[in-house]
Amino acid sequence: MSRGKVAHESARARLARHLRGERALRGLSQEALADLALLHRTYVGSIERCERNVSLDNVERLARALNVDIADLLAAD
Amino acid sequence: MSRGKVAHESARARLARHLRGERALRGLSQEALADLALLHRTYVGSIERCERNVSLDNVERLARALNVDIADLLAAD
């Protein structure tokens, strides 16, 4: 396993950044992503504002909805 | 962002696998890791049994306690 340097960006900020990026790549609104992930339509917005301490299962739902690996949604880059 | 292939191992199973691996590398008990991460001493055990839908903030605490990047705790490999 790579001895990944510990980034200073919080996990919440990383998830928010990657969700915004993946949505932009696909032209998806927050509501559309929430629908795809079977989450409440305002849920994605609260994640992207770092207001929500998301559960692992819900991060996994979002990753599946976007068809990316869950680790990609928390990657340092 | 790498188009990470979507693995079939659940996120909970991945986290459990990586926690066990990182603890073994350091000779840490579940209780010792829970103490380092300021979590209840039985918490790590329940994560490693995939019984707990862990919050992102707590996964981040565990990553910091182990001094690894959070994405490493959810990596496919």
Side-chain angles (χ1 to χ4, degrees):
Chain A
M1 169 177 304
S2 70
R3 294 293 92 215
K5 74 169 179 28
V6 178
H8 295 296
E9 181 187 38
S10 74
R12 290 192 191 198
R14 268 197 206 175
L15 179 59
R17 172 166 58 84
H18 285 296
L19 285 184
R20 281 192 300 272
E22 291 295 331
R23 282 198 305 103
L25 280 175
R26 293 163 180 76
L28 278 175
S29 68
Q30 292 177 345
E31 288 76 14
L33 175 55
D35 287 346
L36 283 171
L38 304 178
L39 295 168
H40 189 274
R41 63 177 189 74
T42 61
Y43 194 82
V44 171
S46 62
I47 294 173
E48 291 189 6
R49 291 188 300 274
C50 298
E51 293 167 359
R52 194 168 290 268
N53 186 12
V54 196
S55 73
L56 192 61
D57 290 359
N58 279 343
V59 179
E60 186 168 42
R61 277 187 179 197
L62 291 161
R64 287 212 173 121
L66 292 163
N67 196 31
V68 297
D69 191 277
I70 189 170
D72 292 340
L73 290 184
L74 292 167
D77 55 19
Chain B
M1 170 174 307
S2 70
R3 297 292 91 216
K5 73 172 181 22
V6 178
H8 295 295
E9 182 187 37
S10 74
R12 290 193 190 195
R14 270 197 205 177
L15 178 60
R17 172 166 59 83
H18 285 298
L19 285 184
R20 281 193 300 271
E22 292 293 334
R23 282 199 305 104
L25 279 175
R26 294 163 178 75
L28 278 176
S29 68
Q30 291 177 344
E31 289 76 13
L33 175 55
D35 286 347
L36 284 171
L38 304 178
L39 295 167
H40 188 274
R41 64 177 189 70
T42 61
Y43 194 81
V44 172
S46 61
I47 295 174
E48 291 189 5
R49 292 188 299 274
C50 297
E51 291 167 357
R52 194 170 290 268
N53 185 12
V54 195
S55 73
L56 192 61
D57 290 359
N58 280 345
V59 178
E60 186 168 41
R61 277 186 177 200
L62 290 162
R64 286 211 174 118
L66 292 164
N67 196 29
V68 297
D69 191 276
I70 190 170
D72 292 341
L73 290 183
L74 292 167
D77 56 15

